[in-house]
mmCIF file of all heavy atoms in Angstrom:
data_model
loop_
_atom_site.group_PDB
_atom_site.id
_atom_site.type_symbol
_atom_site.label_atom_id
_atom_site.label_comp_id
_atom_site.label_asym_id
_atom_site.label_seq_id
_atom_site.Cartn_x
_atom_site.Cartn_y
_atom_site.Cartn_z
ATOM 1 N N ASN A 435 77.571 -7.240 15.567
ATOM 2 C CA ASN A 435 76.317 -7.676 16.190
ATOM 3 C C ASN A 435 75.669 -8.810 15.399
ATOM 4 O O ASN A 435 75.178 -9.781 15.977
ATOM 5 C CB ASN A 435 75.350 -6.506 16.330
ATOM 6 C CG ASN A 435 74.107 -6.924 17.078
ATOM 7 O OD1 ASN A 435 74.183 -7.455 18.176
ATOM 8 N ND2 ASN A 435 72.968 -6.758 16.450
ATOM 9 N N LEU A 436 75.744 -8.703 14.056
ATOM 10 C CA LEU A 436 75.144 -9.761 13.223
ATOM 11 C C LEU A 436 75.909 -11.079 13.425
ATOM 12 O O LEU A 436 75.304 -12.148 13.534
ATOM 13 C CB LEU A 436 75.152 -9.360 11.744
ATOM 14 C CG LEU A 436 74.220 -8.199 11.369
ATOM 15 C CD1 LEU A 436 74.412 -7.815 9.914
ATOM 16 C CD2 LEU A 436 72.760 -8.581 11.613
ATOM 17 N N ASN A 439 75.273 -12.399 17.007
ATOM 18 C CA ASN A 439 73.923 -12.979 17.092
ATOM 19 C C ASN A 439 73.900 -14.370 16.463
ATOM 20 O O ASN A 439 73.282 -15.294 16.987
ATOM 21 C CB ASN A 439 72.910 -12.100 16.352
ATOM 22 C CG ASN A 439 72.478 -10.914 17.182
ATOM 23 O OD1 ASN A 439 72.833 -10.796 18.349
ATOM 24 N ND2 ASN A 439 71.727 -10.014 16.576
ATOM 25 N N ALA A 440 74.579 -14.500 15.296
ATOM 26 C CA ALA A 440 74.600 -15.798 14.606
ATOM 27 C C ALA A 440 75.280 -16.832 15.497
ATOM 28 O O ALA A 440 74.807 -17.972 15.615
ATOM 29 C CB ALA A 440 75.353 -15.668 13.283
ATOM 30 N N TYR A 441 76.376 -16.431 16.130
ATOM 31 C CA TYR A 441 77.077 -17.377 17.012
ATOM 32 C C TYR A 441 76.186 -17.754 18.199
ATOM 33 O O TYR A 441 76.067 -18.915 18.553
ATOM 34 C CB TYR A 441 78.397 -16.789 17.508
ATOM 35 C CG TYR A 441 79.046 -17.702 18.523
ATOM 36 C CD1 TYR A 441 79.652 -18.885 18.118
ATOM 37 C CD2 TYR A 441 78.993 -17.407 19.883
ATOM 38 C CE1 TYR A 441 80.200 -19.764 19.039
ATOM 39 C CE2 TYR A 441 79.541 -18.279 20.820
ATOM 40 C CZ TYR A 441 80.139 -19.461 20.387
ATOM 41 O OH TYR A 441 80.666 -20.327 21.294
ATOM 42 N N ASP A 442 75.528 -16.736 18.795
ATOM 43 C CA ASP A 442 74.668 -17.001 19.956
ATOM 44 C C ASP A 442 73.560 -17.989 19.590
ATOM 45 O O ASP A 442 73.213 -18.866 20.378
ATOM 46 C CB ASP A 442 74.040 -15.698 20.473
ATOM 47 C CG ASP A 442 75.082 -14.784 21.101
ATOM 48 O OD1 ASP A 442 76.185 -15.263 21.397
ATOM 49 O OD2 ASP A 442 74.790 -13.577 21.273
ATOM 50 N N ALA A 443 72.998 -17.810 18.364
ATOM 51 C CA ALA A 443 71.886 -18.684 17.954
ATOM 52 C C ALA A 443 72.406 -20.080 17.594
ATOM 53 O O ALA A 443 71.899 -21.090 18.087
ATOM 54 C CB ALA A 443 71.157 -18.077 16.765
ATOM 55 N N ALA A 444 73.435 -20.119 16.739
ATOM 56 C CA ALA A 444 73.922 -21.416 16.260
ATOM 57 C C ALA A 444 74.689 -22.179 17.337
ATOM 58 O O ALA A 444 74.703 -23.405 17.346
ATOM 59 C CB ALA A 444 74.807 -21.203 15.034
ATOM 60 N N ASP A 471 73.136 -18.386 8.997
ATOM 61 C CA ASP A 471 73.704 -19.274 10.020
ATOM 62 C C ASP A 471 72.980 -20.615 10.048
ATOM 63 O O ASP A 471 71.968 -20.806 9.364
ATOM 64 C CB ASP A 471 73.671 -18.594 11.394
ATOM 65 C CG ASP A 471 72.270 -18.291 11.871
ATOM 66 O OD1 ASP A 471 71.447 -19.220 11.895
ATOM 67 O OD2 ASP A 471 71.992 -17.114 12.205
ATOM 68 N N GLY A 473 71.739 -21.917 12.855
ATOM 69 C CA GLY A 473 71.038 -21.960 14.141
ATOM 70 C C GLY A 473 69.582 -22.382 13.970
ATOM 71 O O GLY A 473 69.191 -22.844 12.889
ATOM 72 N N PRO A 474 68.769 -22.187 14.994
ATOM 73 C CA PRO A 474 67.372 -22.629 14.919
ATOM 74 C C PRO A 474 66.471 -21.673 14.122
ATOM 75 O O PRO A 474 65.295 -21.961 13.921
ATOM 76 C CB PRO A 474 66.945 -22.637 16.389
ATOM 77 C CG PRO A 474 67.840 -21.646 17.047
ATOM 78 C CD PRO A 474 69.123 -21.641 16.312
ATOM 79 N N GLY A 475 67.028 -20.534 13.678
ATOM 80 C CA GLY A 475 66.206 -19.564 12.954
ATOM 81 C C GLY A 475 65.430 -18.691 13.943
ATOM 82 O O GLY A 475 65.572 -18.839 15.165
ATOM 83 N N ILE A 476 64.609 -17.818 13.389
ATOM 84 C CA ILE A 476 63.843 -16.887 14.230
ATOM 85 C C ILE A 476 62.391 -17.362 14.244
ATOM 86 O O ILE A 476 61.823 -17.645 13.180
ATOM 87 C CB ILE A 476 63.923 -15.450 13.659
ATOM 88 C CG1 ILE A 476 65.398 -15.030 13.529
ATOM 89 C CG2 ILE A 476 63.165 -14.461 14.526
ATOM 90 C CD1 ILE A 476 65.637 -13.836 12.641
ATOM 91 N N HIS A 480 58.393 -13.816 16.025
ATOM 92 C CA HIS A 480 59.413 -12.841 16.438
ATOM 93 C C HIS A 480 59.983 -12.067 15.255
ATOM 94 O O HIS A 480 60.658 -11.063 15.448
ATOM 95 C CB HIS A 480 60.574 -13.545 17.156
ATOM 96 C CG HIS A 480 60.180 -14.105 18.488
ATOM 97 N ND1 HIS A 480 60.914 -15.057 19.148
ATOM 98 C CD2 HIS A 480 59.105 -13.835 19.284
ATOM 99 C CE1 HIS A 480 60.308 -15.358 20.283
ATOM 100 N NE2 HIS A 480 59.211 -14.644 20.380
ATOM 101 N N VAL A 484 62.319 -8.427 15.819
ATOM 102 C CA VAL A 484 63.752 -8.484 16.139
ATOM 103 C C VAL A 484 64.439 -7.117 16.047
ATOM 104 O O VAL A 484 65.453 -6.903 16.710
ATOM 105 C CB VAL A 484 64.522 -9.525 15.271
ATOM 106 C CG1 VAL A 484 64.178 -10.923 15.673
ATOM 107 C CG2 VAL A 484 64.313 -9.286 13.806
ATOM 108 N N PHE A 485 63.886 -6.186 15.243
ATOM 109 C CA PHE A 485 64.516 -4.860 15.129
ATOM 110 C C PHE A 485 63.969 -3.875 16.168
ATOM 111 O O PHE A 485 64.362 -2.721 16.186
ATOM 112 C CB PHE A 485 64.326 -4.297 13.716
ATOM 113 C CG PHE A 485 65.036 -5.115 12.671
ATOM 114 C CD1 PHE A 485 64.332 -5.897 11.775
ATOM 115 C CD2 PHE A 485 66.419 -5.108 12.600
ATOM 116 C CE1 PHE A 485 64.989 -6.661 10.832
ATOM 117 C CE2 PHE A 485 67.080 -5.869 11.652
ATOM 118 C CZ PHE A 485 66.369 -6.646 10.774
ATOM 119 N N ASP A 486 63.027 -4.349 16.988
ATOM 120 C CA ASP A 486 62.476 -3.459 18.026
ATOM 121 C C ASP A 486 63.485 -3.309 19.164
ATOM 122 O O ASP A 486 64.116 -4.289 19.565
ATOM 123 C CB ASP A 486 61.174 -4.043 18.595
ATOM 124 C CG ASP A 486 60.009 -3.853 17.647
ATOM 125 O OD1 ASP A 486 60.211 -3.181 16.613
ATOM 126 O OD2 ASP A 486 58.923 -4.380 17.930
ATOM 127 N N PHE A 489 64.049 -5.834 22.352
ATOM 128 C CA PHE A 489 63.512 -7.175 22.103
ATOM 129 C C PHE A 489 64.673 -8.167 22.145
ATOM 130 O O PHE A 489 65.619 -8.085 21.354
ATOM 131 C CB PHE A 489 62.796 -7.289 20.748
ATOM 132 C CG PHE A 489 62.389 -8.709 20.478
ATOM 133 C CD1 PHE A 489 61.263 -9.248 21.075
ATOM 134 C CD2 PHE A 489 63.185 -9.551 19.689
ATOM 135 C CE1 PHE A 489 60.922 -10.577 20.883
ATOM 136 C CE2 PHE A 489 62.845 -10.882 19.492
ATOM 137 C CZ PHE A 489 61.709 -11.390 20.095
ATOM 138 N N THR A 490 64.602 -9.091 23.057
ATOM 139 C CA THR A 490 65.642 -10.122 23.147
ATOM 140 C C THR A 490 65.042 -11.424 23.640
ATOM 141 O O THR A 490 64.068 -11.409 24.397
ATOM 142 C CB THR A 490 66.802 -9.673 24.077
ATOM 143 O OG1 THR A 490 67.796 -10.688 24.080
ATOM 144 C CG2 THR A 490 66.361 -9.400 25.502
ATOM 145 N N THR A 491 65.620 -12.533 23.181
ATOM 146 C CA THR A 491 65.178 -13.829 23.704
ATOM 147 C C THR A 491 66.298 -14.416 24.556
ATOM 148 O O THR A 491 66.211 -15.552 24.994
ATOM 149 C CB THR A 491 64.852 -14.795 22.545
ATOM 150 O OG1 THR A 491 65.979 -14.838 21.674
ATOM 151 C CG2 THR A 491 63.618 -14.395 21.789
ATOM 152 N N LYS A 492 67.351 -13.597 24.731
ATOM 153 C CA LYS A 492 68.490 -14.098 25.514
ATOM 154 C C LYS A 492 68.214 -13.897 26.992
ATOM 155 O O LYS A 492 67.419 -13.045 27.377
ATOM 156 C CB LYS A 492 69.762 -13.363 25.075
ATOM 157 C CG LYS A 492 70.113 -13.756 23.652
ATOM 158 C CD LYS A 492 71.219 -12.957 23.051
ATOM 159 C CE LYS A 492 71.308 -13.276 21.559
ATOM 160 N NZ LYS A 492 72.168 -12.376 20.839
ATOM 161 N N LYS A 496 72.503 -11.379 29.440
ATOM 162 C CA LYS A 496 73.232 -11.832 28.246
ATOM 163 C C LYS A 496 73.043 -10.834 27.084
ATOM 164 O O LYS A 496 73.991 -10.504 26.388
ATOM 165 C CB LYS A 496 72.743 -13.233 27.845
ATOM 166 C CG LYS A 496 73.425 -13.796 26.642
ATOM 167 C CD LYS A 496 74.777 -14.389 26.988
ATOM 168 C CE LYS A 496 75.440 -15.055 25.806
ATOM 169 N NZ LYS A 496 76.049 -14.122 24.879
ATOM 170 N N GLY A 497 71.809 -10.385 26.885
ATOM 171 C CA GLY A 497 71.573 -9.464 25.772
ATOM 172 C C GLY A 497 70.689 -8.306 26.205
ATOM 173 O O GLY A 497 69.797 -8.481 27.038
ATOM 174 N N THR A 498 70.930 -7.130 25.620
ATOM 175 C CA THR A 498 70.081 -5.978 25.965
ATOM 176 C C THR A 498 68.908 -5.856 24.982
ATOM 177 O O THR A 498 67.962 -5.139 25.230
ATOM 178 C CB THR A 498 70.889 -4.668 25.886
ATOM 179 O OG1 THR A 498 71.366 -4.524 24.550
ATOM 180 C CG2 THR A 498 72.032 -4.660 26.865
ATOM 181 N N GLY A 499 69.034 -6.516 23.842
ATOM 182 C CA GLY A 499 67.988 -6.397 22.817
ATOM 183 C C GLY A 499 68.107 -5.093 22.043
ATOM 184 O O GLY A 499 67.181 -4.675 21.357
ATOM 185 N N LEU A 500 69.285 -4.464 22.138
ATOM 186 C CA LEU A 500 69.464 -3.192 21.412
ATOM 187 C C LEU A 500 70.292 -3.365 20.142
ATOM 188 O O LEU A 500 70.263 -2.517 19.269
ATOM 189 C CB LEU A 500 70.161 -2.171 22.319
ATOM 190 C CG LEU A 500 69.284 -1.490 23.357
ATOM 191 C CD1 LEU A 500 70.128 -0.625 24.268
ATOM 192 C CD2 LEU A 500 68.225 -0.641 22.679
ATOM 193 N N GLY A 501 71.023 -4.490 20.066
ATOM 194 C CA GLY A 501 71.953 -4.694 18.953
ATOM 195 C C GLY A 501 71.327 -4.445 17.586
ATOM 196 O O GLY A 501 71.817 -3.613 16.812
ATOM 197 N N LEU A 502 70.240 -5.137 17.308
ATOM 198 C CA LEU A 502 69.663 -5.033 15.956
ATOM 199 C C LEU A 502 68.979 -3.683 15.731
ATOM 200 O O LEU A 502 69.002 -3.164 14.618
ATOM 201 C CB LEU A 502 68.671 -6.172 15.707
ATOM 202 C CG LEU A 502 69.302 -7.524 15.362
ATOM 203 C CD1 LEU A 502 68.235 -8.588 15.184
ATOM 204 C CD2 LEU A 502 70.149 -7.424 14.100
ATOM 205 N N SER A 503 68.352 -3.135 16.772
ATOM 206 C CA SER A 503 67.669 -1.853 16.549
ATOM 207 C C SER A 503 68.700 -0.753 16.295
ATOM 208 O O SER A 503 68.492 0.105 15.432
ATOM 209 C CB SER A 503 66.740 -1.500 17.709
ATOM 210 O OG SER A 503 67.450 -1.519 18.902
ATOM 211 N N GLY A 525 67.782 -22.141 9.933
ATOM 212 C CA GLY A 525 68.737 -21.062 10.199
ATOM 213 C C GLY A 525 68.167 -19.721 9.780
ATOM 214 O O GLY A 525 67.188 -19.658 9.034
ATOM 215 N N ALA A 526 68.818 -18.677 10.306
ATOM 216 C CA ALA A 526 68.343 -17.326 9.977
ATOM 217 C C ALA A 526 69.268 -16.702 8.953
ATOM 218 O O ALA A 526 70.436 -17.094 8.834
ATOM 219 C CB ALA A 526 68.327 -16.478 11.238
ATOM 220 N N GLU A 527 68.726 -15.748 8.197
ATOM 221 C CA GLU A 527 69.558 -15.019 7.243
ATOM 222 C C GLU A 527 69.263 -13.528 7.371
ATOM 223 O O GLU A 527 68.110 -13.111 7.289
ATOM 224 C CB GLU A 527 69.294 -15.469 5.808
ATOM 225 C CG GLU A 527 70.235 -14.755 4.846
ATOM 226 C CD GLU A 527 70.007 -15.125 3.402
ATOM 227 O OE1 GLU A 527 68.881 -14.935 2.920
ATOM 228 O OE2 GLU A 527 70.941 -15.599 2.765
ATOM 229 N N PHE A 528 70.327 -12.770 7.606
ATOM 230 C CA PHE A 528 70.203 -11.312 7.643
ATOM 231 C C PHE A 528 70.842 -10.769 6.368
ATOM 232 O O PHE A 528 71.933 -11.217 5.991
ATOM 233 C CB PHE A 528 70.899 -10.746 8.878
ATOM 234 C CG PHE A 528 70.084 -10.964 10.134
ATOM 235 C CD1 PHE A 528 70.089 -12.183 10.780
ATOM 236 C CD2 PHE A 528 69.275 -9.959 10.632
ATOM 237 C CE1 PHE A 528 69.319 -12.393 11.907
ATOM 238 C CE2 PHE A 528 68.496 -10.159 11.760
ATOM 239 C CZ PHE A 528 68.511 -11.381 12.402
HETATM 240 N N1 LIG B 219 70.944 -15.175 13.821
HETATM 241 C C1 LIG B 219 69.875 -15.210 14.621
HETATM 242 N N2 LIG B 219 69.168 -16.371 14.787
HETATM 243 C C2 LIG B 219 68.076 -16.421 15.598
HETATM 244 N N3 LIG B 219 67.600 -15.352 16.287
HETATM 245 C C3 LIG B 219 68.249 -14.189 16.171
HETATM 246 C C4 LIG B 219 69.407 -14.039 15.332
HETATM 247 N N4 LIG B 219 69.810 -12.762 15.420
HETATM 248 C C5 LIG B 219 68.975 -12.144 16.274
HETATM 249 N N5 LIG B 219 68.041 -12.974 16.714
HETATM 250 C C6 LIG B 219 66.941 -12.668 17.645
HETATM 251 O O1 LIG B 219 66.777 -11.266 17.709
HETATM 252 C C7 LIG B 219 66.885 -10.824 19.050
HETATM 253 C C8 LIG B 219 67.381 -9.410 19.081
HETATM 254 O O2 LIG B 219 68.731 -9.336 18.664
HETATM 255 P P1 LIG B 219 69.579 -8.084 19.104
HETATM 256 O O3 LIG B 219 70.913 -8.193 18.483
HETATM 257 O O4 LIG B 219 68.803 -6.852 18.836
HETATM 258 O O5 LIG B 219 69.641 -8.224 20.668
HETATM 259 P P2 LIG B 219 70.407 -9.309 21.514
HETATM 260 O O6 LIG B 219 71.422 -10.002 20.688
HETATM 261 O O7 LIG B 219 69.389 -10.144 22.177
HETATM 262 O O8 LIG B 219 71.113 -8.374 22.574
HETATM 263 P P3 LIG B 219 72.429 -7.470 22.327
HETATM 264 O O9 LIG B 219 72.658 -7.393 20.880
HETATM 265 O O10 LIG B 219 72.039 -6.169 22.897
HETATM 266 O O11 LIG B 219 73.499 -8.157 23.049
HETATM 267 C C9 LIG B 219 67.764 -11.849 19.707
HETATM 268 O O12 LIG B 219 67.590 -11.889 21.095
HETATM 269 C C10 LIG B 219 67.288 -13.138 19.038
HETATM 270 O O13 LIG B 219 66.082 -13.572 19.614
#
Side-chain angles (χ1 to χ4, degrees):
N435 185 54
L436 292 175
N439 280 354
Y441 174 74
D442 291 344
D471 63 53
I476 304 164
H480 292 162
V484 288
F485 295 109
D486 284 355
F489 174 79
T490 182
T491 53
K492 293 172 190 169
K496 180 81 176 78
T498 60
L500 281 174
L502 281 178
S503 55
E527 183 181 58
F528 284 80

